[in-house]
């Protein structure tokens, strides 16, 4: 990932999974699996990098690796994903899901990230003298695990649009490196392993990253449109999630729902098309693997802001792209759009602004004092898309509590992160079903109470 000059802290994450039960139910001749979970603190090393992004802005955002195209399809050996998987997840500031990996399966906690490609897990061989993290994957216990050698086609540098810098290590195995926007390095070996949803429902061996360094994050489930993402390799036709609202002062993080494949709630969704661009059209600031949508405006307090639709559409260099990302916490806008949002906030609540203050060098519409009064002054916010589809953010959910009584409007200037895109983060996806329909190249939204038990 490209480095960034601004100081970024990654999201403070609190959650791990404990499988309490295992259910298999038949639905439309397909299989649905359900795994309840509970939460415990994550690794302190990862938590110390707290901030807004999980992994959207990484090496795939650099000029060299932005030149990606969907012509690199998933391996043809992978069968269609013709079964369903349902999982609960705990939400603090990132979406943590658990997937069964290996033969027999080992439950692995992973950050659900629609902004990145490569999935990776911690890999540690169990040793009584030096116990690994409790969530790590033990390759020696899986009969389907294998490591990619240097001569594997994926590891060869002649592939011009491959997103991972790879080298041969001293054992002639394929080694990769991933740089995140805050300078964090994730590196390890590329491996092949199955996802085992049941005895009769497994994927073909998929290419993953296997990180052996202690203290790394629990893992990433890369879900963008890249050829090495979980979605592409497993040929998942659609997936969806429902992000719950965190209650103030709640000690337990709320539980959300995650589907791979069919979602029984989809008949109620409203859909917008994903934007596609010619493969020959290479734009240095454009991420061709992101879920890009056509946003047309923003309303606040019932009034549409005077923002040109061009601010939400990629220009000749790719700047202005609007994407939906589960791995970014807050929403970030390009200057032309952000300035109008801030202009409204200053006009209606400027006297209450916390002067000369910016949370994390990125959010600068912050307030002390009576948050309900400020929220009333600002009003409800609406993100507008094509076909009249809207995402409504109630005034009570426009701001987030940053600690110490400070609340900030959960929108920042994207240039403060060193990028030139509009990003709708998971904070503004709460109490929504968000479906990524890969087959029909569209995104669906459905209003829901995501903290309740879902079908």
């Amino acid at each position: 990932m490209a480095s960034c000059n601004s100081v970024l802290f990654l999201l403070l994450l609190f959650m791990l999974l404990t499988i309490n039960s295992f259910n298999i139910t038949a639905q439309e001749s397909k299989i649905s699996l359900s795994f309840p979970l509970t939460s415990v603190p994550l690794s302190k090393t990862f938590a110390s990098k707290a901030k807004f992004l999980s992994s959207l802005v990484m090496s795939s955002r650099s000029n060299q690796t932005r030149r990606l195209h969907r012509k690199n399809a998933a391996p043809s050996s992978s069968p269609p994903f013709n079964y369903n998987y349902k999982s609960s997840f705990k939400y603090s500031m990132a979406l943590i899901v658990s997937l069964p990996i290996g033969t027999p399966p080992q439950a692995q906690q992973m950050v659900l990230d629609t902004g990145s490609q490569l999935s990776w897990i911690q890999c540690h061989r169990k040793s009584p003298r030096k116990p690994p993290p409790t969530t790590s994957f033990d390759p020696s216990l899986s009969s389907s695990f294998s490591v990619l050698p240097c001569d594997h086609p994926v590891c060869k540098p002649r592939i011009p649009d491959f997103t991972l810098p790879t080298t041969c290590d001293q054992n002639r195995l394929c080694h990769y490196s991933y740089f995140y926007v805050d300078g964090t390095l994730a590196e390890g070996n590329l491996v092949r392993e199955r996802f085992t949803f049941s005895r009769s429902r497994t994927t073909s061996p998929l290419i993953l990253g296997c990180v052996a360094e202690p203290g790394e994050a629990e893992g990433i489930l890369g879900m963008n449109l890249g050829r090495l993402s979980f979605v592409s390799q497993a040929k998942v036709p659609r997936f969806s999630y429902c992000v719950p609202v965190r209650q103030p002062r709640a000690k337990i993080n709320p539980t959300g729902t995650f589907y791979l494949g069919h979602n029984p709630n989809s008949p109620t969704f409203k859909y917008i098309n994903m934007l596609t661009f010619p493969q020959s059209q290479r734009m240095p600031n454009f991420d061709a693997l992101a879920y890009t949508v056509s946003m047309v405006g923003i309303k606040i307090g019932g009034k549409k802001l005077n923002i040109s639709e061009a601010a939400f559409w990629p220009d000749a260099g790719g700047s202005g792209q609007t994407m939906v990302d589960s791995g970014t916490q807050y929403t970030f806008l390009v200057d032309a759009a952000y300035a109008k949002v801030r202009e409204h906030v200053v006009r209606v609540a400027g006297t209450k602004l916390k002067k000369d203050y910016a949370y994390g060098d990125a959010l600068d519409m912050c307030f002390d004092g009576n948050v309900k009064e400020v929220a009333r002054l600002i009003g409800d916010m609406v993100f507008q898309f094509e076909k009249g589809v809207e995402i409504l953010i109630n005034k009570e959910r426009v701001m987030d509590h940053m600690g110490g009584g400070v609340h900030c409007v959960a929108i920042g200037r994207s240039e403060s992160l060193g990028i030139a895109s509009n990003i709708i983060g998971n904070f503004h996806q709460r109490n929504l079903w968000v479906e990524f329909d890969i087959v029909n190249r569209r995104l669906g939204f459905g209003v829901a109470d995501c903290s309740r038990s879902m079908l």
Side-chain angles (χ1 to χ4, degrees):
M1 159 172 70
S3 61
C4 180
N5 292 331
S6 55
V7 179
L8 298 178
F9 322 87
L10 266 180
L11 302 169
L12 180 59
L13 309 175
F14 279 65
M15 44 217 145
L16 290 181
L17 154 67
T18 302
I19 297 178
N20 296 325
S21 63
F22 177 76
N23 300 315
I24 303 180
T25 58
Q27 183 179 27
E28 298 181 357
S29 302
K30 298 178 181 180
I31 299 297
S32 177
L33 309 182
S34 178
F35 293 83
L37 57 77
T38 57
S39 63
V40 296
L42 277 182
S43 64
K44 293 181 180 179
T45 301
F46 190 48
S48 69
K49 297 165 184 172
K51 193 55 176 190
F52 312 117
L53 304 175
S54 65
S55 56
L56 168 72
V57 189
M58 55 180 148
S59 57
S60 63
R61 301 290 297 172
S62 68
N63 287 343
Q64 180 181 16
T65 58
R66 283 189 185 108
R67 299 175 181 178
L68 308 174
H69 304 286
R70 298 191 65 212
K71 62 184 179 182
N72 294 305
S76 58
S77 59
S78 179
F81 194 95
N82 61 351
Y83 48 95
N84 299 327
Y85 175 85
K86 176 189 175 184
S87 173
S88 300
F89 63 84
K90 288 291 182 179
Y91 171 65
S92 176
M93 284 171 279
L95 317 184
I96 305 293
V97 298
S98 179
L99 292 180
I101 301 178
T103 310
Q106 302 174 45
Q108 297 299 298
Q109 287 75 45
M110 309 175 81
V111 176
L112 175 64
D113 187 8
T114 60
S116 64
Q117 179 174 190
L118 182 75
S119 300
W120 57 267
I121 55 176
Q122 282 193 28
C123 292
H124 295 274
R125 188 182 180 91
K126 302 289 190 295
S127 170
R129 289 183 294 180
K130 188 178 181 182
T134 57
T135 58
S136 66
F137 179 84
D138 188 344
S140 68
L141 300 180
S142 175
S143 62
S144 54
F145 179 88
S146 63
V147 182
L148 264 64
C150 286
D151 59 359
H152 190 281
V154 168
C155 200
K156 294 192 175 182
R158 70 168 180 265
I159 302 176
D161 56 0
F162 183 54
T163 60
L164 298 178
T166 56
T167 59
C168 280
D169 65 16
Q170 58 185 3
N171 297 317
R172 299 291 300 168
L173 300 177
C174 188
H175 185 88
Y176 78 94
S177 300
Y178 235 14
F179 279 99
Y180 291 80
V181 68
D182 65 347
T184 303
L185 171 65
E187 62 178 341
N189 288 113
L190 292 182
V191 303
R192 293 175 69 92
E193 185 55 285
R194 297 178 183 273
F195 286 67
T196 308
F197 297 100
S198 70
R199 290 184 178 180
S200 61
R201 303 286 181 170
T202 66
T203 67
S204 300
L206 309 182
I207 295 174
L208 308 170
C210 191
V211 176
E213 290 298 319
E216 295 289 348
E218 272 54 25
I220 294 288
L221 183 65
M223 299 290 280
N224 74 5
L225 296 170
R227 67 192 182 108
L228 292 181
S229 72
F230 176 82
V231 169
S232 296
Q233 291 193 74
K235 291 184 169 61
V236 177
R238 63 186 58 84
F239 65 94
S240 53
Y241 53 75
C242 199
V243 182
V245 174
R246 300 194 310 272
Q247 297 301 321
R249 302 181 183 87
K251 295 182 179 180
I252 300 176
N253 291 320
T255 299
T257 305
F258 171 58
Y259 276 98
L260 284 173
H262 174 72
N263 184 331
N265 301 281
S266 62
T268 65
F269 298 169
K270 294 182 179 179
Y271 289 91
I272 58 177
N273 295 323
M274 292 185 214
L275 296 184
T276 58
F277 296 85
Q279 294 182 359
S280 60
Q281 188 175 348
R282 298 189 174 185
M283 298 177 284
N285 296 315
F286 185 77
D287 185 349
L289 305 184
Y291 294 98
T292 305
V293 295
S294 179
M295 190 167 171
V296 298
I298 297 175
K299 288 195 302 186
I300 306 182
K303 297 181 179 180
K304 186 171 182 177
L305 302 182
N306 185 23
I307 305 173
S308 169
E309 291 187 17
F312 305 113
W313 187 272
D315 61 19
S319 299
Q321 174 183 14
T322 300
M323 63 188 79
V324 177
D325 179 46
S326 67
T328 299
Q329 183 182 2
Y330 298 127
T331 293
F332 293 89
L333 301 173
V334 296
D335 276 348
Y338 180 83
K340 295 298 182 180
V341 172
R342 196 175 197 284
E343 181 181 291
H344 170 85
V345 172
V346 170
R347 183 172 65 253
V348 299
T351 59
K352 301 180 181 296
L353 271 171
K354 190 173 177 65
K355 298 186 183 303
D356 302 320
Y357 178 87
Y359 179 74
D361 294 336
L363 306 184
D364 65 358
M365 293 181 284
C366 301
F367 303 85
D368 285 321
N370 191 334
V371 64
K372 291 185 178 179
E373 173 64 14
V374 174
R376 185 189 65 80
L377 292 172
I378 294 175
D380 296 340
M381 186 178 300
V382 176
F383 295 148
Q384 299 177 299
F385 301 91
E386 62 173 356
K387 301 179 180 179
V389 176
E390 297 182 338
I391 294 178
L392 169 65
I393 300 119
N394 295 329
K395 55 181 176 292
E396 296 83 8
R397 295 190 285 116
V398 168
M399 292 181 290
D400 196 16
H401 184 214
M402 305 303 173
V406 176
H407 290 77
C408 297
V409 175
I411 296 178
R413 179 181 284 107
S414 59
E415 278 80 352
S416 69
L417 304 181
I419 58 177
S421 303
N422 301 293
I423 307 167
I424 300 174
N426 64 54
F427 186 85
H428 288 139
Q429 299 174 41
R430 298 179 303 166
N431 274 354
L432 279 177
W433 278 113
V434 183
E435 181 180 76
F436 299 78
D437 186 344
I438 314 302
V439 172
N440 296 304
R441 296 200 57 80
R442 61 183 186 170
L443 266 65
F445 301 102
V447 177
D449 182 353
C450 298
S451 62
R452 299 182 62 184
S453 179
M454 297 287 183
L455 290 176

